[in-house]
Each structure stands twice: as structure tokens, then as C-alpha cells.
């Protein structure tokens, strides 16, 4: 089962989930718990930049809510997500370990 995280660096989206509709904009993090249906609709007239991460979390957690949104007002998560993406694409000897560290910090 996978936890899916989306970080919106730029752009907007409307996300329909089992629990209702989420409206997102820049610096929002959206998390989808495993097994919960969702449909993302982005405004293609606007520039979109989204970091998407899937995390294998083993067994799905028992949760009432299938998705939620966090606002990154201090932009701390922005730094973590951009570093995560940079190291994921990187090829240094420490990239894999840094990816794990950034994921832990985000979670």
C-alpha cells in the first residue's frame, strides 16, 4: 500500500476525494492514504509545478479520512520537497540516504 504526497510549488488544482472536494494552490501539500480514491483536475492555463511522492507503507493504516491538505505557510516543506527531488535525481553516494532523511522529515 502506498501513501501519496503531492506538493504544489506552482499552480492550482481541484481534487475530488471520497471525503469531498479539496481546492489547492501553491505551497499546499496533499496526502492520500492508501486505498482512497481521488481525481485531480488541474488548471492547464496556469503553469503547474508539482512534486509527487509515493511511499510504500506496507499495510494500509486504519483511518477515517482518506486525504487531507496542509498549508505550508512558512515554506519549510517546500525546501524539504525540493531537496528530496534533487537527491532522488542525484547520483552521489549519499543520495539514497538523503532521500530517506528528507522523507522522514516530511512525514
Amino acid at each position: 500500500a502506498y501513501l501519496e504526497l503531492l506538493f504544489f510549488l506552482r499552480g492550482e488544482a481541484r481534487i475530488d476525494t471520497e471525503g469531498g472536494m479539496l481546492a489547492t494552490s501553491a505551497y499546499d501539500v496533499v496526502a492520500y492514504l492508501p486505498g482512497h480514491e481521488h481525481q485531480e483536475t488541474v488548471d492547464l492555463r496556469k503553469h503547474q509545478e508539482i512534486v509527487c511522492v509515493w511511499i510504500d507503507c506496507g499495510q494500509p493504516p486504519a483511518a477515517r479520512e482518506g486525504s487531507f491538505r496542509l498549508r505550508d505557510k512558512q515554506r519549510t516543506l517546500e525546501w524539504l520537497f525540493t531537496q528530496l527531488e534533487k537527491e532522488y535525481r542525484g547520483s552521489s553516494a549519499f543520495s539514497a540516504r538523503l532521500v530517506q532523511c528528507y522523507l522522514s522529515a516530511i512525514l
Side-chain angles (χ1 to χ4, degrees):
Y2 290 89
L3 169 69
E4 183 178 353
L5 299 174
L6 297 178
F7 183 77
F8 289 81
L9 289 163
R10 294 182 185 195
E12 298 173 355
R14 190 185 96 203
I15 302 170
D16 294 304
T17 70
E18 294 174 6
M21 195 272 294
L22 298 172
T24 64
S25 58
Y27 311 117
D28 281 352
V29 178
V30 176
Y32 303 117
L33 296 177
H36 291 273
E37 299 283 326
H38 59 278
Q39 174 71 39
E40 297 142 5
T41 306
V42 296
D43 184 352
L44 296 177
R45 296 171 294 173
K46 298 180 180 177
H47 178 75
Q48 303 289 328
E49 190 172 355
I50 303 166
V51 177
C52 183
V53 178
W54 289 279
I55 303 166
D56 185 353
C57 57
Q59 291 291 90
R64 293 185 356 227
E65 297 294 324
S67 59
F68 57 90
R69 180 192 67 205
L70 300 172
R71 299 226 178 236
D72 187 24
K73 293 179 183 177
Q74 294 354 82
R75 295 176 71 174
T76 305
L77 292 171
E78 175 189 17
W79 186 85
L80 288 168
F81 272 96
T82 54
Q83 294 305 308
L84 172 69
E85 182 182 31
K86 176 182 162 189
E87 291 302 331
Y88 178 78
R89 296 180 189 280
S91 58
S92 80
F94 301 105
S95 290
R97 180 67 182 132
L98 286 169
V99 164
Q100 291 176 346
C101 290
Y102 291 131
L103 277 176
S104 293
I106 289 167
L107 294 174

